[in-house]
Amino acid sequence: MPSGTDARTTPSWPDLPEVARDVLLEVLIHGAMPRAEIAARLHLSRPTLTRLTRTLVQHGLLVEGGTELRSSTGRPSEMLHVRGEAHRFLGVKLTADRLFAAVTDLTATVVETTDEPLRSTDPADVVAQIADVAAAFRDVTAIGVTLGGIVRDGVVVEAEFLHWTDVPLRERVVAATGVPTAVDNDVQALTSAEHWFGAGAGLTSMVLITVGAGVGCGLVVGGRLVEGAHGLPPRIAHILVDPSGPVCGYGHRGCASSYLMTHVILRELGEPTYEEAVDRALAGDPDAKRVFDDAGYALGVLIGTVANLVDPQKVLLTGDGLPLYEVSAERVADGIRASYEADTSLVDLDVRQWDFREWARSGAALAIRTTLTGVI
């Protein structure tokens, strides 16, 4: 694990007026741009924008540098950039048995990572382990913790894989580290990270679907993350695919989860690891190909169904179960055609490479987002 100063020595985030945060966010998401362009985007007067950017520069959050010709007429404009190194954020992703951590700068660029087995799933032990990881990294401004489950106001209402109920995780991590902390559902955090810092940057509507140990979904509509009234993330795992299909763990016949989840595929093929199951399918084993094709079709139905509902600019597909797309892309396309009511060329499907460190990075992005919006 990297060594460094105690996380409690962190630089504090400045108290910025909301409009100054809007300016910083505009440059953070859309990239370096001149003052005139920022003013036009946010409908601010030039004197107001000048005053706000001066404040952000003084706090070390923006920096002037370089010129660029932004139109076919006129002179090159001086650009404002986010000063990424001004602050560092720690992201933590909890699974059933491991802790993944990543430190990013203000632009969500990863600068350090680590991962280790969970010492136990007891909440006190997990909080202590998070505190130890935080202490190993220097100058962390805020922490973001993500996990699969239901989270409301920093309380883990339910996390089945950790056997947690009503754990006040944010409060306990803040007490253990002295660092402002945000806690959220992992798929919601990943969706926000992609919307601000990834393939969805600048989009007003997008869908993120994750496949693997579970089936997750995140939605951005009208430029905002969709957050339910009861803290529940969007749920699509039990959308019907085939009424005569297999039964899932909840007793639903033929739903997407009865085909897509990693443990279902392993059970059907009798393989100890997902990698071995994928290798069999890629080698042309007919049983393995059938199982993955069924999963691919189910995934396509999910994509088409959610696209019908949201009409997104982009559908992002990711997760540790992503190799099924490599095996059965044609059947995914078949499922989209069978469920999507419009021209399937309108479905912009973006298949993202996967690494578990992306979950941790999304925790850091959660910390950035909540810090900038003043939620923490």
Side-chain angles (χ1 to χ4, degrees):
M1 182 184 297
S3 61
T5 60
D6 193 304
R8 295 168 180 80
T9 64
T10 71
S12 61
W13 186 260
D15 183 15
L16 300 172
E18 183 177 354
V19 67
R21 295 198 299 264
D22 290 342
V23 171
L24 178 59
L25 183 58
E26 199 69 21
V27 183
L28 190 66
I29 293 177
H30 299 287
M33 63 182 74
R35 287 178 174 80
E37 191 170 331
I38 299 171
R41 283 175 171 268
L42 297 178
H43 307 290
L44 299 172
S45 69
R46 289 293 297 272
T48 297
L49 193 280
T50 297
R51 175 174 53 80
L52 294 170
T53 55
R54 184 185 303 118
T55 297
L56 293 168
V57 169
Q58 288 173 346
H59 283 299
L61 300 173
L62 290 183
V63 62
E64 299 172 330
T67 59
E68 186 176 315
L69 187 63
R70 302 288 281 190
S71 65
S72 57
T73 61
R75 294 179 298 179
S77 302
E78 187 174 53
M79 307 295 287
L80 286 168
H81 307 254
V82 173
R83 185 170 170 265
E85 66 271 23
H87 289 267
R88 290 158 54 96
F89 299 84
L90 172 62
V92 174
K93 156 67 174 174
L94 301 175
T95 72
D97 56 6
R98 292 195 75 81
L99 180 154
F100 294 86
V103 173
T104 75
D105 67 10
L106 181 54
T107 67
T109 299
V110 175
V111 295
E112 296 181 84
T113 63
T114 188
D115 67 272
E116 56 192 49
L118 286 180
R119 298 166 191 163
S120 84
T121 58
D122 179 85
D125 290 338
V126 173
V127 169
Q129 191 166 355
I130 292 172
D132 288 345
V133 170
F137 294 108
R138 62 177 179 81
D139 301 335
V140 176
T141 297
I143 299 170
V145 182
T146 75
L147 69 169
I150 301 171
V151 180
R152 297 193 192 112
D153 297 324
V155 176
V156 180
V157 177
E158 179 185 352
E160 183 178 357
F161 67 96
L162 286 170
H163 309 292
W164 286 3
T165 303
D166 295 331
V167 175
L169 188 59
R170 179 177 63 196
E171 174 186 305
R172 294 185 182 182
V173 173
V174 170
T177 65
V179 179
T181 299
V183 180
D184 204 353
N185 169 269
D186 52 4
V187 178
Q188 290 289 82
L190 184 60
T191 303
S192 287
E194 288 292 342
H195 183 224
W196 275 29
F197 303 108
L203 301 182
T204 58
S205 64
M206 58 169 272
V207 172
L208 180 137
I209 295 175
T210 64
V211 291
V215 180
C217 180
L219 304 175
V220 171
V221 177
R224 298 178 64 87
L225 180 73
V226 173
E227 299 179 285
H230 305 99
L232 302 176
R235 294 183 170 186
I236 61 173
H238 297 284
I239 288 176
L240 181 64
V241 174
D242 182 353
S244 62
V247 177
C248 78
Y250 285 89
H252 305 147
R253 182 171 293 280
C255 67
S257 68
S258 67
Y259 296 98
L260 269 173
M261 291 185 176
T262 300
H263 78 271
V264 171
I265 293 173
L266 297 182
R267 183 188 64 208
E268 287 290 310
L269 296 177
E271 289 290 356
T273 71
Y274 192 65
E275 291 75 14
E276 290 172 338
V278 170
D279 288 343
R280 275 180 60 185
L282 290 174
D285 178 277
D287 290 334
K289 192 67 168 68
R290 172 186 56 79
V291 170
F292 276 93
D293 281 350
D294 288 346
Y297 183 83
L299 177 58
V301 169
L302 290 188
I303 293 169
T305 302
V306 178
N308 283 332
L309 178 65
V310 179
D311 187 26
Q313 293 167 279
K314 182 170 288 192
V315 177
L316 303 181
L317 180 62
T318 190
D320 52 300
L322 202 56
L324 81 83
Y325 185 84
E326 178 186 357
V327 173
S328 301
E330 292 183 3
R331 290 296 285 159
V332 174
D334 289 341
I336 295 174
R337 281 191 292 269
S339 56
Y340 188 58
E341 296 182 12
D343 182 350
T344 57
S345 67
L346 298 177
V347 179
D348 182 2
L349 183 61
D350 188 344
V351 182
R352 311 296 294 171
Q353 290 188 336
W354 179 249
D355 187 309
F356 257 106
R357 287 173 294 186
E358 283 300 305
W359 286 118
R361 175 179 178 266
S362 71
L366 168 67
I368 296 170
R369 178 168 64 94
T370 50
T371 299
L372 256 68
T373 56
V375 174
I376 288 181

